[in-house]
Amino acid sequence: MKNVGNANYVQIDYEIQTHENEGTTILPSPEAYRRFKWTKEYFNEKPKEGYFIWARKSSDRPLITRISISSKNVSQNPANLVVIEKDVKARIYSICNAVKKDLCGNHVGSSKIILKENSRLVMNHFHRWGKEDRVNSGLEIFLGNGSEISDVYKCLEVPMRLNMENNIYLEEGSSANLVMTILAKHGEVKMHDSTFLNGRGSRGISRIRMIGDEKSRIVAHSRMIANDAGTGHVDCMGLLLAEDSSINAIPELVNNNKDASLTHEASVGKISEEVLNYLRSRGLTEDQAIDLVVAGFLGEEDPIVIEGQVIPLKSYM
Amino acid sequence: MLEVKDLEVIVGGRKILDGVNLRIDPGETCVLLGPNGSGKSTLLQAIVGNPTYQITGTIFFKGEDITQMPTNERIKRGLGISFQHPPAVRGVKLLDVMEEMHGDGEKIEEMAERMGLGDFLERDLNLGFSGGELKRSEMVQLLTLQPDLVLLDEPDSGVDVENLELIGEVINEILKRSSKPRFRNRSGLIITHMGSIMQYVKPDKGFVMLDGKIVCSGKPEELINQIKKNGYEGCMKCIN
Ligand SMILES: Nc1ncnc2c1ncn2[C@@H]1O[C@H](COP(=O)(O)OP(=O)(O)OP(=O)(O)O)[C@@H](O)[C@H]1O
Ligand SMILES: [Mg+2]
């Protein structure tokens, strides 16, 4: 197995390779579970596969993990644990995919991210699946005092069925910025995310961008729960491109503290006729206008850069 | 350049234009005057082909019947428009749209700088732009497009003195107004209420629209002075 693009954890079907970066321990989760007793507190059960990342020093070099399905009927069950030590800054690109469209894979992933006091993590997830795959993913993020996370999830090719559940817990002065972008075509997507503002001065933002194309259904339930004096914002935007697509956006605000402030914004609909007309008046065809609006809605790709070199995402997929 | 014959436009079940006839020759620039709600913007939108309109009558552009043609085809043939109220396009940058119009990178930046929009290229198109910024953004897009017939919907509304001059200069440039009349080949139709753009762009002809019809044409300065003096009521008396 060759190590494409200097990935730090590569799992293809069941085969695994790891490469450490300076100041960061990277191991298959079962090995970490054996070697570091303290990890037992975080793993819900003895892990079978998945990555363990323990960042002890800040580094400009991003960490890259790749979990791929490349054969028929593979069933993966990674349990991932990321621990960012106090004051450490890190960046992780996490890629999960099926390399072909018809592999009937099953991917059940659970991840936990622990940010110690004043640490910072920028996490980018890129997922790409085949039409016959089933994917379940659970993510929990624990933010210690003053820590920060930017968690960006993007999946532009969904599996037959995708279930996601994210829970984020914020302590005093910490902040979480979540952006999830989904383009669903021939598939069913269910997303639940809950952000718990458990500390004074904590800030949570959850933005969901979804596009429903042919034969798709998306349900997105995004909750912001204030248990202490924090601020939170939920923003769900859906774009319907096809007659046989549907989007169910449910932003929910739960405020248990009179000093907290929570807001939300939501809209689901097709591209406005006025906007299309405007773009057409600049010489664009209907299709070009739609493509431009959709591309804008999906946001820009954040390229992977290692030591100044841009590595196309494709090379990991 | 443009000939509109017996144009009727129904929007949302309501007849907005009621038999408009209009002709603009190559090299000619005209102003379109008329009270609020008289149908001026609707006429411009009909000329570029707003697909939500129900249309009867014919529109000829450069001798070709374009009445049933999709908007992008009309633009390809040399039509261009600036909107009175351009919509905000979330996620799409001014730069993206200008690139789609085949402007080359360096030129785009140069034009944006010139229109005082250097920092706007990376912003979402029209999102949160001020009134004057919207007008300049429309102009910079027309500069990229370089149309042969320019339809301008109130390019002077809400624009401060300096920017009015800048916009006037750009309109003159697109219309090649500095060339001798017989060498001019571009035409314009400009909607204005107060005629402030006429300080910089000297139109050849004026039209007055009342209630979905063009009721009068004449020398632009005279028309606007009459309207300023007697209002559109004066127009009505004059035609009846
Ligand atoms: N989509 C629509 N549905 C219903 N009525 C419309 C629609 N678009 C325009 N109208 C109506 O058509 C009439 C003419 O509108 P238009 O925008 O052409 O006027 P205008 O002459 O440009 O006015 P102004 O000087 O205020 O810009 C107005 O009464 C307007 O409310
Ligand atoms: Mg108008």
Side-chain angles (χ1 to χ4, degrees):
Chain A
M1 190 163 67
K2 71 174 197 288
N3 180 24
V4 240
N6 306 308
N8 300 89
Y9 177 92
V10 184
Q11 175 175 350
I12 296 176
D13 294 340
Y14 308 108
E15 206 186 325
I16 293 166
Q17 264 190 18
T18 58
H19 302 268
E20 304 217 324
N21 275 15
E22 212 210 314
T24 305
T25 304
I26 295 156
L27 292 170
S29 295
E31 205 178 319
Y33 189 82
R34 255 195 331 269
R35 273 184 38 195
F36 305 111
K37 276 217 177 83
W38 57 267
T39 63
K40 295 195 167 59
E41 170 192 345
Y42 299 117
F43 285 115
N44 299 334
E45 52 182 13
K46 199 173 156 195
K48 292 200 266 301
E49 50 197 353
Y51 55 79
F52 166 72
I53 295 177
W54 181 21
R56 286 165 287 116
K57 269 194 201 155
S58 297
S59 168
D60 291 336
R61 194 189 171 92
L63 298 155
I64 297 166
T65 68
R66 169 187 173 192
I67 302 179
S68 297
I69 292 176
S70 85
S71 320
K72 278 233 164 197
N73 301 312
V74 165
S75 186
Q76 291 175 330
N77 192 0
N80 308 314
L81 175 62
V82 175
V83 180
I84 313 292
E85 284 297 331
K86 193 170 170 239
D87 299 321
V88 169
K89 288 186 190 129
R91 173 168 203 132
I92 300 175
Y93 293 96
S94 155
I95 294 143
C96 291
N97 74 321
V99 299
K100 290 193 206 118
K101 298 282 134 212
D102 58 348
L103 296 174
C104 306
N106 191 19
H107 178 104
V108 181
S110 76
S111 304
K112 219 173 248 187
I113 300 175
I114 316 292
L115 283 108
K116 303 269 178 81
E117 233 177 282
N118 298 321
S119 64
R120 265 190 14 220
L121 176 63
V122 177
M123 183 105 186
N124 287 76
H125 311 259
F126 299 104
H127 287 200
R128 182 156 95 187
W129 303 103
K131 300 264 165 285
E132 319 277 334
D133 300 328
R134 287 158 200 274
V135 177
N136 271 286
S137 91
L139 170 65
E140 283 183 298
I141 304 175
F142 296 87
L143 287 123
N145 291 355
S147 64
E148 262 175 52
I149 190 167
S150 153
D151 187 85
V152 176
Y153 172 92
K154 202 171 240 191
C155 181
L156 306 185
E157 286 173 56
V158 299
M160 182 165 74
R161 203 153 289 153
L162 171 62
N163 285 313
M164 283 205 292
E165 182 160 343
N166 297 338
N167 289 298
I168 299 143
Y169 306 91
L170 291 97
E171 294 300 331
E172 203 175 308
S174 65
S175 85
N177 193 346
L178 223 77
V179 184
M180 288 198 275
T181 308
I182 297 266
L183 193 164
K185 191 171 176 176
H186 298 273
E188 209 178 299
V189 178
K190 285 194 183 134
M191 298 188 274
H192 289 268
D193 70 90
S194 303
T195 305
F196 296 88
L197 305 172
N198 292 336
R200 169 164 280 281
S202 53
R203 296 180 304 274
I205 297 178
S206 161
R207 291 182 203 282
I208 301 179
R209 299 280 174 274
M210 24 192 178
I211 296 191
D213 206 337
E214 277 164 46
K215 296 198 173 47
S216 66
R217 268 182 55 196
I218 305 176
V219 178
H221 183 185
S222 187
R223 294 203 300 162
M224 190 62 64
I225 302 110
N227 294 321
D228 207 327
T231 56
H233 182 69
V234 173
D235 167 351
C236 302
M237 301 278 180
L239 209 54
L240 286 173
L241 296 184
E243 294 295 337
D244 51 1
S245 61
S246 85
I247 292 177
N248 185 352
I250 315 156
E252 185 184 342
L253 307 178
V254 182
N255 198 337
N256 299 317
N257 186 298
K258 70 172 173 43
D259 295 322
S261 121
L262 304 180
T263 54
H264 79 74
E265 222 179 313
S267 74
V268 178
K270 62 174 183 173
I271 303 174
S272 103
E273 202 49 56
E274 196 193 1
V275 164
L276 286 181
N277 187 40
Y278 181 69
L279 293 174
R280 276 191 296 250
S281 81
R282 301 303 181 234
L284 277 69
T285 62
E286 169 108 14
D287 285 346
Q288 283 172 326
I290 291 172
D291 286 351
L292 196 62
V293 174
V294 168
F297 190 85
L298 293 175
E300 266 174 50
E301 275 307 336
D302 192 2
I304 300 181
V305 182
I306 299 176
E307 288 170 353
Q309 218 184 330
V310 178
I311 302 178
L313 201 52
K314 269 207 298 256
S315 64
Y316 298 102
M317 300 222 168
Chain B
M1 181 69 82
L2 179 79
E3 188 160 13
V4 174
K5 280 189 175 161
D6 304 321
L7 185 70
E8 280 190 20
V9 173
I10 296 174
V11 189
R14 233 185 92 197
K15 190 187 273 189
I16 309 292
L17 297 186
D18 186 12
V20 171
N21 288 289
L22 176 85
R23 187 193 153 99
I24 300 174
D25 288 326
E28 196 175 45
T29 291
C30 306
V31 285
L32 180 59
L33 307 166
N36 291 142
S38 56
K40 303 180 299 295
S41 296
T42 306
L43 174 60
L44 261 50
Q45 290 289 327
I47 296 170
V48 289
N50 186 320
T52 62
Y53 291 4
Q54 221 179 305
I55 284 190
T56 53
T58 25
I59 304 167
F60 291 98
F61 178 55
K62 296 182 181 170
E64 186 182 11
D65 184 348
I66 61 163
T67 321
Q68 300 302 328
M69 203 179 268
T71 301
N72 60 296
E73 289 294 329
R74 302 183 196 207
I75 304 304
K76 227 196 258 172
R77 280 164 175 70
L79 266 177
I81 184 170
S82 76
F83 282 55
Q84 180 180 4
H85 302 293
V89 191
R90 217 175 258 276
V92 176
K93 297 181 187 127
L94 175 58
L95 180 67
D96 299 336
V97 177
M98 290 176 69
E99 279 175 347
E100 288 284 340
M101 294 189 284
H102 307 293
D104 75 74
E106 240 171 76
K107 265 224 175 118
I108 289 178
E109 236 170 81
E110 199 183 293
M111 288 187 292
E113 288 293 341
R114 176 172 169 207
M115 297 307 291
L117 294 172
D119 298 335
F120 284 66
L121 286 172
E122 292 292 327
R123 270 176 66 173
D124 283 7
L125 184 55
N126 304 334
L127 188 67
F129 286 21
S130 77
E133 288 161 357
L134 282 172
K135 300 291 172 190
R136 278 184 280 142
S137 149
E138 291 294 282
M139 290 317 301
V140 83
Q141 293 178 60
L142 285 177
L143 261 178
T144 317
L145 210 52
Q146 290 289 330
D148 295 324
L149 173 63
V150 204
L151 309 168
L152 302 164
D153 199 343
E154 300 192 21
D156 51 3
S157 297
V159 177
D160 67 35
V161 187
E162 271 118 54
N163 281 306
L164 186 64
E165 187 177 351
L166 179 63
I167 286 174
E169 186 188 299
V170 170
I171 295 174
N172 281 328
E173 185 180 311
I174 297 174
L175 291 172
K176 305 205 158 95
R177 295 298 284 179
S178 59
S179 337
K180 292 214 172 71
R182 67 195 162 96
F183 293 117
R184 283 181 207 150
N185 49 10
R186 291 199 168 157
S187 310
L189 181 59
I190 307 173
I191 298 177
T192 177
H193 279 289
M194 301 311 292
S196 42
I197 194 68
M198 287 159 63
Q199 283 171 259
Y200 303 99
V201 182
K202 301 293 173 200
D204 307 299
K205 202 193 259 180
F207 299 107
V208 179
M209 180 170 247
L210 288 181
D211 226 357
K213 283 193 186 78
I214 300 227
V215 293
C216 168
S217 68
K219 289 219 169 76
E221 294 291 347
E222 281 173 21
L223 287 176
I224 208 135
N225 289 338
Q226 281 299 320
I227 289 163
K228 280 185 183 163
K229 208 165 116 203
N230 304 320
Y232 287 105
E233 281 196 14
C235 284
M236 285 191 235
K237 276 186 203 130
C238 159
I239 55 173
N240 286 325

